Amino acid sequence: MSQSTPTTTTLNGGGADRPSVDEALRAALDAGPRPPRPGAVAASLTFCRRALLKVRHDPQQLFDAIAFPVMVTLVFTFLFGGAIAGSTHDYVQFLLPGIVVLTVVMISMSTGVALNTDISKGVNDRFRSMSIWRPSVLVGELLSDTVRYLMASTVAVLLGLALGFRPHGGFVGVVAALALIQVFAFSLAWVWTALGLVVHQPQTIMTLSGLGVFPLLFCSNIFVSTRSMPGWLQAVVNVNPVTRTVTAVRGLMSGSVTATQIGTAFLAYAVLIVVFGSLTVRLYNKER
Amino acid sequence: MDSRTDLAIETSGLVKVFGETRAVDGVDLAVRAGSVHGFLGPNGAGKTTTIRMLATLLRPSAGQARVFGHDVVREADTVRGRVSLTGQFASVDDDLSGAENLVMLARLLGHPRARARSRAEELLAAFDLTEAAGRPAKKYSGGMRRRLDIAASIIVPPDLLFLDEPTAGLDPHSRNHVWDIVRAIVAAGTTVLLTTQRLDEADELADQIAVIDRGKIIADGTAAELKASVGSSAVHVRLADPGRRPDAVRALGETLGVAVHTGSDPATLTAGVPVDTGSDGGERVARALAELARSGVALIDYTFGPPSLDEVFLALTGHRADDAVATGEEDAA
């Protein structure tokens, strides 16, 4: 008579290559006292490290951070430079700070898609079931993107220098400008993450981000000075956080920055983080 | 341990509604601290949704759920500090290596960096994963992945572990190994809620078994009680000629003295064989099969063994386990 299910007796010879449960497991189960709940910063940094480890395992993720600024800088300098400023050399002095900002804006868009894909993975349920500061998953993820922003903006600046860009703010001014750009990109990324959580199809996120990014980039002072624009448009352009950033970055790189320029830029970042950061966290906490 | 209750899980009238579907429809569950409670049911029966509510991942639509006396909604963070998830409820990170996964989770549980590393090494060794420590988790075999998953859940041994189909898809050897691991975890003081589709697994590990169907608990008792309600064993018969099925139903029914169920396949039959009559089930089945042969009903195949989850379902609900899938639930996703 045949048995439909194997019985639970140990299989013959089964124990030979592996002991049933050894001392190592028993010892591992005696783990000592429970450690205290990690703080918000420690948890965020752990998630940042997780994202960086992924980049290390798959460095191709960084491709856009190198290729994109090269393409954009070359295209805008040579295609539009002569027409807008008379010569490519003059235009690159004006354009380069804006191009660095444009580069990180474009790169930050992929954050929404990345987050959307990441939170659909099973490991996120484990994170959500742990006693940690909930937004640390998002903060860590965005902090790690700083690496991409820093690479992209450095590439853009170096290429600019090769094309004749001469920042009067010197080394310190350029470094300060790059630091400001990191803060800007971190703040702006919350817009894309919020979008990434509302929309479920990665394809749709890309389309919508694309639609949103064009007014953001072109209704700004990246390519031309606001002085040539009609008054109502100037009003719009001036509240654009991209404009605030480009103005501050130009100031820092040329050594003519004012406290107001920096102040209004940070005000714009605070608004972005408060509005879109809290929206993102709310959306993330919503059950799925 | 909490002095407020000796129950690890206590739910009353727990409900979760997704749009039109009542995925969980009034579940009352009591799980004693320190025990292994089996949670049986087909896909879509409401197992996953119930557990996701208990693990604070979903908000109940109605009713109450407490874990060690703490409300899963109002004291969610306290609950999170005491439970751990495995399997489809919460996997490991595929893109990271086994070691990186364990270090990351140890850090998130609050271990300082050095201790997180030593804890990861301890667990990798205990779970026979030291050699694979540097490989990405997505390259692991099924058994290795399962072990990494369980290791990740006991970095800080939880008070309550949701163990999801721990041996699905494993060969018998790995399965026995995982069962031994589960027993060791329980011996160390963890309460386990074990979901499974296999009665033999629940039988092997669980002190008490709850059966869920269409969002409701339809049975809750020890394995012996559950089997008694089904017949301790089941005989399955496949006929050479489906046209002879009525004859076979009659012959088997008369000899065994029990109801014979016809399968959806026109050539199959199933009957539960109770043990409480005192006679040996195997001997009665042998007589019944001999009776079939005498009536000239040819068989292609027959099996005799403990009842499957399917038979438990049939006995408890009157419908087959796979019918329940049609009710739909987010489980399937």
Side-chain angles (χ1 to χ4, degrees):
Chain A
M1 200 157 290
S2 67
Q3 291 290 116
S4 66
T5 332
T7 54
T8 53
T9 47
T10 319
L11 293 175
N12 290 339
D17 46 339
R18 191 184 287 146
S20 54
V21 172
D22 45 17
E23 281 315 300
L25 177 59
R26 261 182 255 285
L29 279 163
D30 184 16
R34 171 180 286 270
R37 183 186 199 264
V41 174
S44 301
L45 288 178
T46 303
F47 283 114
C48 176
R49 193 176 150 69
R50 163 178 179 248
L52 293 178
L53 283 171
K54 289 189 179 198
V55 173
R56 203 170 74 186
H57 288 306
D58 180 18
Q60 260 206 309
Q61 286 180 35
L62 290 177
F63 180 76
D64 63 343
I66 297 166
F68 196 74
V70 171
M71 185 189 76
V72 171
T73 311
L74 292 177
V75 164
F76 282 97
T77 308
F78 289 105
L79 236 55
F80 301 152
I84 295 175
S87 82
T88 51
H89 179 81
D90 290 340
Y91 190 50
V92 87
Q93 310 304 323
F94 175 82
L95 178 71
L96 195 99
I99 281 297
V100 183
V101 175
L102 176 139
T103 303
V104 297
V105 169
M106 297 295 276
I107 291 177
S108 74
M109 275 167 54
S110 65
T111 303
V113 181
L115 185 79
N116 182 292
T117 339
D118 192 63
I119 61 162
S120 60
K121 289 182 184 157
V123 71
N124 249 274
D125 280 337
R126 196 187 283 279
F127 298 148
R128 281 154 49 87
S129 71
M130 293 173 90
S131 173
I132 46 176
W133 183 58
R134 274 272 176 107
S136 57
V137 185
L138 307 163
V139 174
E141 199 78 35
L142 295 197
L143 279 179
S144 77
D145 274 344
T146 312
V147 172
R148 286 193 310 145
Y149 304 143
L150 198 60
M151 277 181 71
S153 43
T154 308
V155 167
V157 168
L158 289 178
L159 188 62
L161 291 173
L163 293 175
F165 174 62
R166 292 295 170 262
H168 296 295
F171 182 72
V172 175
V174 172
V175 170
L178 290 181
L180 182 88
I181 288 172
Q182 307 313 304
V183 181
F184 164 64
F186 174 82
S187 320
L188 182 71
W190 292 102
V191 177
W192 312 129
T193 53
L195 188 67
L197 289 169
V198 173
V199 183
H200 296 293
Q201 253 62 47
Q203 202 62 48
T204 321
I205 304 171
M206 272 332 259
T207 313
L208 286 177
S209 324
L211 283 175
V213 86
F214 275 96
L216 203 60
L217 290 176
F218 286 94
C219 294
S220 78
N221 58 351
I222 290 181
F223 304 104
V224 290
S225 162
T226 49
R227 275 187 295 263
S228 63
M229 300 175 187
W232 61 269
L233 187 57
Q234 279 192 29
V236 174
V237 168
N238 278 329
V239 297
N240 185 346
V242 173
T243 305
R244 317 283 7 136
T245 306
V246 172
T247 306
V249 168
R250 278 202 183 113
L252 285 166
M253 286 190 175
S254 65
S256 64
V257 73
T258 66
T260 321
Q261 288 172 347
I262 300 286
T264 49
F266 274 94
L267 184 70
Y269 307 155
V271 171
L272 282 175
I273 291 177
V274 167
V275 174
F276 291 97
S278 57
L279 180 64
T280 302
V281 171
R282 270 242 302 284
L283 290 166
Y284 177 77
N285 280 341
K286 237 175 62 179
E287 56 190 37
R288 245 159 273 122
Chain B
M1 280 291 143
D2 204 299
S3 57
R4 282 163 68 189
T5 174
D6 60 349
L7 289 178
I9 300 173
E10 190 182 9
T11 76
S12 59
L14 196 62
V15 171
K16 183 68 191 181
V17 181
F18 294 114
E20 301 279 284
T21 315
R22 294 178 77 83
V24 172
D25 195 5
V27 161
D28 299 315
L29 202 60
V31 174
R32 206 162 29 79
S35 69
V36 180
H37 209 101
F39 199 28
L40 265 72
N43 287 328
K47 276 181 305 188
T48 303
T49 307
T50 304
I51 286 174
R52 287 177 67 85
M53 284 191 278
L54 291 172
T56 77
L57 295 174
L58 286 179
R59 238 166 199 280
S61 307
Q64 271 215 328
R66 293 175 167 276
V67 171
F68 295 103
H70 301 285
D71 188 278
V72 296
V73 177
R74 278 180 288 113
E75 298 168 275
D77 202 64
T78 312
V79 172
R80 284 181 199 135
R82 306 190 61 170
V83 305
S84 205
L85 294 163
T86 65
Q88 64 162 333
F89 304 137
S91 67
V92 292
D93 197 329
D94 278 330
D95 299 325
L96 299 190
S97 73
E100 286 164 353
N101 261 294
L102 295 180
V103 172
M104 168 182 73
L105 293 168
R107 294 283 289 141
L108 292 175
L109 286 159
H111 278 305
R113 198 178 310 272
R115 176 66 187 133
R117 277 210 204 94
S118 67
R119 184 71 185 134
E121 272 166 32
E122 251 169 61
L123 286 165
L124 288 165
F127 283 83
D128 217 356
L129 290 167
T130 306
E131 262 172 66
R135 252 185 283 157
K138 62 180 158 215
K139 302 227 169 103
Y140 279 22
S141 72
M144 286 160 69
R145 212 186 141 78
R146 210 62 60 89
R147 297 205 301 276
L148 178 63
D149 183 28
I150 296 176
S153 320
I154 61 163
I155 293 170
V156 171
D159 295 326
L160 172 61
L161 177 65
F162 296 104
L163 200 56
D164 173 45
E165 310 206 350
T167 61
L170 296 189
D171 61 72
H173 179 61
S174 314
R175 192 177 59 199
N176 285 333
H177 185 54
V178 169
W179 281 348
D180 285 341
I181 291 171
V182 174
R183 278 189 276 258
I185 292 172
V186 176
T190 296
T191 308
V192 172
L193 186 66
L194 167 82
T195 65
T196 181
Q197 311 227 28
R198 309 172 50 123
L199 196 60
D200 61 336
E201 180 158 273
D203 199 4
E204 187 72 23
L205 296 173
D207 304 305
Q208 185 99 5
I209 298 169
V211 181
I212 186 169
D213 181 44
R214 298 183 178 170
K216 289 193 167 76
I217 302 283
I218 54 168
D220 200 345
T222 62
E225 287 165 353
L226 208 61
K227 280 184 187 168
S229 71
V230 181
S232 74
S233 302
V235 60
H236 301 263
V237 172
R238 176 177 290 276
L239 306 174
D241 174 13
R244 299 295 308 272
R245 191 155 79 165
D247 301 332
V249 169
R250 195 172 24 77
L252 277 181
E254 278 169 13
T255 342
L256 291 171
V258 296
V260 177
H261 301 283
T262 50
S264 48
D265 178 336
T268 61
L269 296 174
T270 304
V273 183
V275 280
D276 53 315
T277 55
S279 74
D280 172 44
E283 181 257 339
R284 277 154 32 101
V285 169
R287 267 196 289 122
L289 293 172
E291 179 57 32
L292 274 187
R294 221 183 345 264
S295 343
V297 179
L299 306 184
I300 292 177
D301 182 32
Y302 63 87
T303 57
F304 176 53
S308 65
L309 179 62
D310 211 41
E311 277 131 23
V312 173
F313 259 81
L314 198 57
L316 292 171
T317 67
H319 70 85
R320 296 211 153 257
D322 13 334
D323 294 350
V325 177
T327 62
E329 188 191 329
E330 293 202 333
D331 279 17

